[in-house]
Amino acid sequence: MRYARLAHSAGADGLLAMPPYLVLAAQEGLLEHYQAVAAATPLPVIVYQRDNAVFTPRTVVELARTEGIIGLKDGLGDLDLMQRIISAVRTGALADFLYFDGVPTAEQPQQAYRAIGVPLY
């Protein structure tokens, strides 16, 4: 939260919120963490899904409902999970939520990501 406020005061346009370092947290803990980050700053927040922060579709729906959280960047490359997340968020009438391809070799699965509704990198 401190770094989110510092980023805002330094003139950042938004935040890419990485997972907590060296921590494997339950879904509830991850949700509370990112909600606290979003509440600490007026900056738009994009949550980064990576190997130690893998979200269920239900958790992403709650993230999408959180004021200030505008998107999810996927660094896993699990297209099945991403498709289920996107479907759950759309079912929750949260169509403005953004999705980003963040896998290390993003140019390779880019077409597959676009096909399920992930147009951004």
Side-chain angles (χ1 to χ4, degrees):
M1 293 182 294
R2 178 176 173 253
Y3 291 117
R5 288 189 290 268
L6 286 171
H8 177 253
S9 66
D13 294 322
L15 297 175
L16 176 60
M18 300 294 287
Y21 187 65
L22 296 177
V23 174
L24 293 175
Q27 295 295 296
E28 298 81 20
L30 290 169
L31 180 60
E32 289 177 18
H33 170 74
Y34 290 110
Q35 287 175 329
V37 170
T41 179
L43 294 174
V45 176
I46 297 168
V47 174
Y48 204 165
Q49 173 169 258
R50 295 176 57 91
D51 59 351
N52 66 324
V54 180
F55 299 100
T56 65
R58 182 177 177 187
T59 300
V60 178
V61 168
E62 292 306 314
L63 288 169
R65 289 181 176 151
T66 301
E67 186 175 340
I69 297 179
I70 65 162
L72 178 72
K73 183 173 181 177
D74 178 52
L76 292 176
D78 184 338
L79 291 168
D80 176 65
L81 175 59
M82 280 303 292
Q83 186 170 28
R84 289 184 290 119
I85 286 170
I86 292 166
S87 293
V89 172
R90 285 184 182 153
T91 299
L94 302 161
D96 292 339
F97 199 65
L98 303 171
Y99 304 96
F100 299 82
D101 172 0
V103 296
T105 57
E107 61 282 352
Q108 292 175 348
Q110 185 179 27
Q111 287 183 329
Y113 268 97
R114 285 182 186 267
I116 64 168
V118 182
L120 305 168
Y121 177 76

